[in-house]
Amino acid sequence: MPESVDTRFALYPGSFDPFTYGHLDILERALRLFERIEVTVAVNTGKEAGLFAPEERCELIRRCTHHMDGVSTTTFEGLLVDHARDQGAGVLLRGLRQVKDFDYEFRMAFANRKLHPDLETVFLMTSEQNAFVSSTIVRDVHRWGGDLSKFVPTPVAEALEAKREQS
Ligand code: PNS
């Protein structure tokens, strides 16, 4: 028996360390397709300690999306499909930037489908001008003191600047 899921409600999961214009671009596109989108920040992914703590990432996402109706932000720990079940979401939303993203994304989508067959993964493409923007590049530019205004929304740029002043 299929699980009851809401296909107008999408989860947008990721590390978001930090949230970039690429993420914002995907979210704006997705809002034309879904009624509700929960941006959900993964906690304890096994990656090394991030630039921002998960709660800080959430707060920054909230500040970047406060003008968008239907968007909420949470953290999740454990399996993404379990969080999707708890929330009743019917869709996982992932952004694609370039061909090399496909391999990782397909493996993740197939794993999630095995674990939760009624949850659909939907991929959206970023715009060309955001195709090169990634959190990894942002962290690198930040480390060497570069201008981040073209990569991240203002609240994130300000938080990165404050971090630089602290260190
Ligand atoms: O932005 P990222 O780092 O590519 O996001 C990856 C993320 C957090 C969505 C993925 O690692 C994830 O879903 N982690 C939770 C654990 C899980 O459910 N794993 C099984 C699917 S691969």
Side-chain angles (χ1 to χ4, degrees):
M1 174 118 150
E3 287 183 46
S4 159
V5 293
D6 182 353
T7 51
R8 292 156 309 174
F9 173 26
L11 286 189
Y12 182 23
S15 303
F16 303 110
D17 188 33
F19 190 75
T20 68
Y21 274 132
H23 297 129
L24 193 62
D25 181 349
I26 294 295
L27 209 44
E28 279 165 353
R29 286 167 198 285
L31 273 177
R32 294 189 212 125
L33 304 173
F34 303 106
E35 271 175 22
R36 230 163 20 113
I37 302 174
E38 181 189 299
V39 186
T40 188
V41 177
V43 178
N44 288 340
T45 52
K47 291 185 181 176
E48 44 187 85
L51 188 57
F52 292 103
E55 269 311 325
E56 287 180 292
R57 297 179 209 171
C58 266
E59 182 50 33
L60 288 174
I61 296 167
R62 277 186 204 113
R63 282 194 227 155
C64 296
T65 59
H66 66 93
H67 58 291
M68 299 164 107
D69 282 343
V71 175
S72 59
T73 311
T74 57
T75 55
F76 79 98
E77 190 160 9
L79 280 180
L80 180 56
V81 292
D82 289 339
H83 182 64
R85 275 196 181 96
D86 289 346
Q87 302 293 79
V91 174
L92 291 179
L93 171 67
R94 294 285 290 174
L96 287 177
R97 287 167 306 190
Q98 37 190 313
V99 175
K100 80 174 180 50
D101 292 343
F102 269 63
D103 185 46
Y104 168 61
E105 292 297 334
F106 274 37
R107 278 187 282 128
M108 200 155 69
F110 280 126
N112 286 329
R113 184 179 281 171
K114 285 258 182 254
L115 294 165
H116 187 342
D118 298 305
L119 185 67
E120 287 299 337
T121 300
V122 169
F123 298 105
L124 290 183
M125 280 169 60
T126 49
S127 59
E128 306 85 91
Q129 75 255 34
N130 285 319
F132 71 96
V133 179
S134 71
S135 298
T136 309
I137 285 182
V138 168
R139 290 197 299 273
D140 208 34
V141 174
H142 173 255
R143 181 173 342 132
W144 302 111
D147 173 16
L148 284 161
S149 56
K150 297 217 168 63
F151 299 74
V152 294
T154 306
V156 179
E158 287 172 355
L160 286 166
E161 189 54 44
K163 226 173 229 313
R164 198 182 345 252
E165 279 163 16
Q166 279 165 21
S167 59

